[in-house]
Amino acid sequence: MIETNFRLSCTVNGEPIERLVQPARRLLDLLREDMDLTGTKPGCEAGRCGACMVLVDGQPMNACLMMAYQCEGRSVVTIEGLSGCGQRHASGSHPAESYADEPHPIQRAIVAEGGLQCGYCTPGIVISLAGLYNRTVAPSREQIEEALSGNLCRCTGYEGIIRAAMRASSHPDPTP
Amino acid sequence: MEKPDDDRSSSEGAAASSPLNNRRSAGRWMERPDGAAKAAGKLVYLTDMKKPGMLHGKILRSSYPHARLLEVDVSAASQMPGVHAVLTADDVPGLNGYGIVTQDIPVFCTDRVRHVGDVIAAVAADTAELAAAALSAVRVQYEQLAVIDDPALALAPDAPQLHEGGNVLARTRAAFGDADSAFDSCAVIVEEEYVTPRQLHLYMETEGGLFVPEEDGRLTVYSPTQHGYKDRLQLSRILAMPEESIRVVSSPIGGSFGGKDELNVQPYGALLALYTGRPVKMHNSRRESVRSSIKRHPMRIRMKTGADKDGRIIAHRADILADTGAYATLGREVLMFATEHASGPYRIPNVLIEGLSVFTNNGVAGEFRGFGGNQVIFALEGQIERLADRLGLDAWELRRRNLREADDPGPLGQKIAPTDGARQVWEAALRSPLMTKRGGGAQGEEPWLLRGVGAAIVMHGGGLGYGIPDPAGGRLRLADDGKLEAVFGFEEFGQGVISVLTLLMRDHFGCAGEDIRIVIGDTDTVPHTGSATASRATAMAWQAMQRLAPPFAESMLRKAAELLGCTLDQLETGEGGIWRTADPFPVWDCQSERSSPEACSPSCQTLALTYRQLAAAMAEPLVQETSFDFPVTSSATPAVGSHFLYSYASVVTEVEVDMLTGKVRVLRTDHAVAAGPVVNPMGFLGQIEGGSVMALGFTLTEDVVMEEGRYARQQLDTYMIPTIRDIPRQVCVEAVEQLPEDDPFGPRGVGEIGTVGLAPAVAAAVRNACGSWISRLPIRPEQLIRPYHAVRQHWRGGDIGD
Amino acid sequence: MEWTGHSEHLTAAVGMTQVWRPDTTEEAWRLKRQYGTFASYVAGGTWLRTRWESGSSVLPPYLISLDKIAPLQAIQQLESEQEAVELRIGAAVTLAAIESHPLAGGAVPLLGKAVSAVAAPSVRRQATIGGNVMSRSGDLIPALLALDAVIVSYSQGQYERQPLAEWLAGDGGDCDKLTVGFELKQVGGSCWFRKIGRRETFTPSVITIACAYRADSTAGRLLDVRIAVGGAGMAPVRLYEAETAAESGASGASVYAAVRKGIPSVADDYASAAYRRMAAANVIAAELDRAASG
């Protein structure tokens, strides 16, 4: 019942993971340092900036706030595992998770609309929006703002991000 | 500069007149070449890097804002298992100091600490946790000294002196006519003191990097900076190593805004790597970043401005007091910039500007997007509003009456490149639908929500200024694999220099994106092209390409003509290679390596030779280089630091003030920017949109509050930058691109100008909404809130009072 | 002149920490009793993480996670003799779960509004109601106070129910109790919630106001008015005098005065005590005037 170095069992980007970790180790460190998934960024390490956002069971959460034991049995998807191709409504999996190379529509829209500059916050922004599109097919600006209220961007002034999100919103993934 | 397919760009506002629409159809709205990798999380930032056998470095900083450093005992820390090096001042082989201009920042302090970011020791250990534990075992003996936490205290006669030269870093003076006696003939005079905050750059990627001692004795530094060569120079002094032995890889960068131009963790990473012989990773936590990084200078600006009864400004006086913190860095240059810009785009016959930049124990202030312009333009535009109010004139009309003409000298009397930018942006502002509402306030959806419109105008110099070395240049190369390489010493921190170079290559060579390779950010491969600062990179890239492209294209075509046995005028560069322009025309046969008339195509558009084929046929690599200086004034005896190329901007904004809470919301902003032709529309738009939201933080929420030399706000839970819910619902950007026909200088920079005009525009709008004059930023709700009974009386028709 | 160590750097020593994940309240309580100050209860851990990161507390050698204790994760309807539905929310229920639960955020709008004002959606998926209240300055507290919530705690085989207001008035020094949940009634009528922060969202509270009331439209009066305020660094309080003033049909001006009297005097580097008082009084007076005028 006590967890010292415990065997964490979860999935990361669809891959089942079994590994011995310190239970209080942050998911952020697990991803970046132990698994070389550096698309998840540290920005404040206190849950305030959203640069480390990942999908946990399909919902955006801050990897800097989660400890390893809290990931037990859950599905973690990082920016590296995000894709939008064809599996939006596939049964038995969370819609935005298909672990392939094809970009998610929100990734395409963000690049097309100038929704990124330095790009450091971008994986977190993409994850937050992907989480939103999992739940909502054509979100409103209000819903987009709510979904991104935990993501800070210092470069774009959010304008390009909103353009991208609205564009992705009005052109939902056509796959059934 | 709304994009054409955006429904917000309809018929309203500045968008309708935007020339960007044409540009987009001409293919200039280009996705960033680095965009897909960034959006996919695949782009490796320098703070993402790691190497086998790597150690983790950490830095011990002062416990006190001001103290004598009596003894540093690292013995216990050094003996901890897993700790590989604990370094102090004794371990610096070269110069124990750095700084872009003056090397007065100790790498490690020896006898005194002057702010809480001052460094005492650095540790390398097997893990970051062990390094942190070792820091906690370093014992330091301090003797606390009186803390100078206010510039006024620093100037007191009995104040402790922070540096040998005293507490004054710099004094500036700019004088024309006789301001003091000219006030006698003014019909109205307004006098006010303006106070601006200490702003944090808050780049999302904190400082860090990887420092690798190479087998051949060289050192590779993978660490973000705005000028790799300058870091290399500074590190060579500290490490006592030849510059050539150091390679600085400095891009990509997760944001900078001026904040990573000065060295930060590089000296420590480099020293630890050299001492341990192992790669060392450094990466500041946000808290460490706030504690150690440079900030925007807080300024206290007194202005006195007088006009005649027709609203012609006759006399203007400004006294600027800047809190530059513990060390020089670019404090003097920021003050010079502020001094130059304190009279703005106005013709004023009698001007006296005096500046003072003062050392304190309040961290360190330095370079930050806008470079001192933000503070003085807030003050100056506040003066214009107050003058207009006193004269009973419309404030925009008052600006018109005083606006500079194209051929007028610059603000320091220097000859500047003539453009009509000031007038252009003044006129563009009138196209904003908000401007029709600027006279009076209006009510929002609740009776206690009051709305007002305000506007401001900005003139902003680019480049480092006269008398400061400001070299530029670039290199084009036809690589072995047939890529057209643009090789520049600029850094990519998000602003889009890679896009700019790609677009310029396409413009000059008609080539495709995949024909191009942009090489930046590595001192082993790039030429000296100066820094990516001071709104200069786009302008310098454009000018460099003007010099490089024609001879480079000619060299390619000459060789191609030789190979194909045709004349130069039959050929042009294009997508994929060299294209023929006239029939009949031979095509290069790879097999036989000769031109074959039988392969001649009947169509009039034929790729005659690919770049790869051309490269393979070259006996020597084709390389074209240029170096030149940022253009400066041709005046006989100009002031040092005075600028030659200026951009202009106007901002119109509508705000809503909640009188029950004093909170201000910005509802809409319309920007017009005159900075010459737009090279990269997406980048241009992003710079103005992003810059203005950074300015929104400066105006409403951001202030690195310090108490007795310590940071009262150390994290993003208390330091508030704008979120997506804080931004205006609508932002329009118009680019005014027309330059005089004979202008040879092309695009001016827009990296900074978007951060300048919003604060004074919001201040004016608040005044128009609720009657309160704003003279201090960020705007305090405390100043605007009114008790319920007063608010109620107002919505029943009374006056809300000030 | 003194030797100074730099213990603030010790906070990163994560490798030392062990995590207990007991299945029952009793076990959790025993563990805490065993380890004392060497252990900390943890649910979402978001508030704790902020404290560890800032160095205002150190990651302890033992964490006692509440995530396996089923009753602490539950939202239940209680048997009630009264008309109003009574609700128990486990201390380890996340804010996101409360937001979307038909019995909680759905049926108790004041609670739903309060929850939505906390942090950002991603944080609310991890942060819990217990953590928000244990911080003693969370945004939920004013709402729970206005709802006359009861805090349920466990100690030595006994469950104890205590009005939240009473618990807040205590010094919080009673480490022997484990907070297991909160009970509150779904009251009818109207409510509003207002958080005045330093920016529009994801901000420390400067002042947070929760208000519930019923409007008697025939008499043009307000009944059963409950007003509570809180904010960062402020002990949350009910404003009983202002409630009485509002119920007695007093004008906005008298409510305004009563509110000002009731607000604790708290100032920080962002806002003065005077500002907090005026902002709270303004908003409450304006909202109640609006409510009274129908």
Side-chain angles (χ1 to χ4, degrees), chain A residues 25 29 32-36 38-46 48-49 51 79-80 101 107-108 110-123 126 141-142 144-149 151-163 167, chain B residues 3 6 8 29 31-32 35-36 38-43 45 47-48 50 129 199-206 253-255 257 281 283 285-286 368 493-494 682 685-687 689-691 693-694 702 715-717 719 721-725 727-729 731:
Chain A
R25 189 163 176 75
D29 300 324
R32 285 179 60 83
E33 289 173 28
D34 303 353
M35 303 179 70
D36 284 336
T38 54
T40 304
K41 306 294 186 197
C44 70
E45 297 166 86
R48 298 308 200 278
C49 77
I79 187 73
E80 289 90 348
D101 281 338
Q107 287 170 312
R108 285 199 297 266
I110 274 191
V111 177
E113 294 295 339
L116 82 174
Q117 288 179 28
C118 90
Y120 197 80
C121 74
T122 310
V126 168
R141 174 161 172 150
E142 160 59 28
I144 289 164
E145 287 184 4
E146 173 69 3
L148 291 176
S149 62
N151 291 85
L152 298 179
C153 171
R154 191 57 152 169
C155 294
T156 64
Y158 307 99
E159 285 294 321
I161 297 168
I162 290 173
R163 277 196 296 274
R167 173 183 172 134
Chain B
K3 287 177 45 213
D6 187 322
R8 286 187 300 155
W29 181 269
E31 294 186 0
R32 303 174 60 97
K38 284 179 172 179
K42 287 178 183 158
L43 189 89
Y45 291 80
T47 52
D48 292 334
K50 56 172 91 164
E129 287 83 6
Q199 190 179 23
L200 188 64
H201 299 77
L202 217 143
Y203 26 78
M204 295 310 299
E205 181 195 35
T206 56
I253 302 170
F257 316 111
K281 174 163 184 164
H283 198 176
S285 70
R286 181 59 64 185
F368 195 156
F493 36 79
M682 185 189 281
L685 181 61
Q687 285 298 314
E689 288 172 341
V693 169
M694 190 170 249
E702 295 184 40
Q715 244 290 20
L716 306 192
D717 56 351
Y719 188 81
I721 69 165
T723 69
I724 198 166
R725 284 204 193 278
I727 63 169
R729 286 292 291 201
V731 177

Side-chain angles (χ1 to χ4, degrees), chain A residues 64-97:
Chain A
C64 71
L65 295 178
M66 285 192 78
M67 291 180 268
Y69 79 91
Q70 294 173 316
C71 304
E72 178 67 27
R74 303 179 87 169
S75 148
V76 176
V77 173
T78 70
I79 187 73
E80 289 90 348
L82 188 72
S83 166
C85 63
Q87 299 208 1
R88 221 182 139 76
H89 301 289
S91 61
S93 76
H94 293 286
E97 306 167 13

Side-chain angles (χ1 to χ4, degrees), chain B residues 181-203:
Chain B
S181 53
F183 281 113
D184 296 340
S185 57
C186 291
V188 293
I189 296 171
V190 293
E191 202 168 353
E192 183 67 78
E193 185 176 76
Y194 300 85
V195 178
T196 64
R198 178 180 290 106
Q199 190 179 23
L200 188 64
H201 299 77
L202 217 143
Y203 26 78

Side-chain angles (χ1 to χ4, degrees), chain B residues 305-521:
Chain B
T305 312
D308 67 16
K309 62 179 178 19
D310 299 323
R312 253 167 282 275
I313 303 172
I314 295 168
H316 180 54
R317 229 202 113 122
D319 290 279
I320 306 165
L321 179 59
D323 180 353
T324 207
Y327 298 105
T329 174
L330 294 184
R332 174 188 303 274
E333 290 69 24
V334 167
L335 183 69
M336 283 158 55
F337 194 98
T339 304
E340 177 182 357
H341 288 72
S343 48
Y346 303 114
R347 295 176 141 176
I348 312 175
N350 302 286
V351 174
L352 176 59
I353 318 277
E354 290 184 297
L356 202 53
S357 192
V358 176
F359 290 117
T360 66
N361 298 119
N362 289 335
V364 180
E367 176 179 347
F368 195 156
R369 196 179 192 184
F371 211 73
N374 317 58
Q375 297 95 321
V376 294
I377 294 295
F378 166 65
L380 174 67
E381 291 294 276
Q383 291 293 95
I384 302 290
E385 291 289 323
R386 285 161 178 78
L387 269 183
D389 184 67
R390 291 283 302 281
L391 288 159
L393 267 177
D394 171 58
W396 210 243
E397 166 61 18
L398 177 65
R399 285 178 176 85
R400 188 192 64 78
R401 292 185 191 179
N402 292 282
L403 214 54
R404 55 171 290 116
E405 298 288 339
D407 293 314
D408 284 353
L412 296 178
Q414 79 276 29
K415 185 171 166 19
I416 68 173
T419 77
D420 207 20
R423 185 81 45 196
Q424 287 166 330
V425 297
W426 183 90
E427 284 166 1
L430 289 174
R431 294 196 283 271
S432 163
L434 295 178
M435 282 298 259
T436 58
K437 300 195 265 179
R438 70 188 187 275
Q443 192 183 296
E445 284 175 8
E446 302 282 358
W448 52 82
L449 300 177
L450 304 182
R451 292 182 177 184
V453 168
I457 200 161
V458 179
M459 175 181 185
H460 191 89
L464 304 186
Y466 178 83
I468 301 170
D470 199 0
R475 179 192 300 148
L476 294 182
R477 185 168 164 269
L478 179 60
D480 292 344
D481 62 355
K483 296 284 189 199
L484 301 179
E485 283 186 350
V487 191
F488 282 80
F490 300 131
E491 311 296 344
E492 176 61 66
F493 36 79
Q495 85 280 36
V497 75
I498 296 175
S499 294
V500 164
L501 291 169
T502 303
L503 282 158
L504 290 172
M505 292 291 280
R506 277 171 32 179
D507 290 348
H508 281 283
F509 301 112
C511 55
E514 53 268 28
D515 298 328
I516 302 166
R517 181 185 295 129
I518 307 298
V519 181
I520 59 163

Side-chain angles (χ1 to χ4, degrees), chain B residues 9 19 59 110 350 378 584 672:
Chain B
S9 70
I59 296 169
T110 50
N350 302 286
F378 166 65

Side-chain angles (χ1 to χ4, degrees), chain B residues 195-271:
Chain B
V195 178
T196 64
R198 178 180 290 106
Q199 190 179 23
L200 188 64
H201 299 77
L202 217 143
Y203 26 78
M204 295 310 299
E205 181 195 35
T206 56
E207 309 82 0
L210 185 66
F211 301 82
V212 183
E214 306 289 355
E215 282 181 8
D216 60 4
R218 295 181 81 216
L219 173 74
T220 307
V221 172
Y222 299 93
S223 187
T225 174
Q226 288 182 225
H227 192 187
Y229 275 111
K230 188 207 58 236
D231 280 18
R232 195 179 75 156
L233 169 66
Q234 294 219 62
L235 287 173
S236 86
R237 292 180 188 138
I238 294 165
L239 304 173
M241 275 171 83
E243 282 188 69
E244 298 71 33
S245 299
I246 304 169
R247 175 184 175 203
V248 175
V249 178
S250 37
S251 288
I253 302 170
S256 183
F257 316 111
K260 291 174 184 162
D261 202 23
E262 189 60 89
L263 287 179
N264 44 72
V265 300
Q266 295 94 334
Y268 312 100
L271 284 166

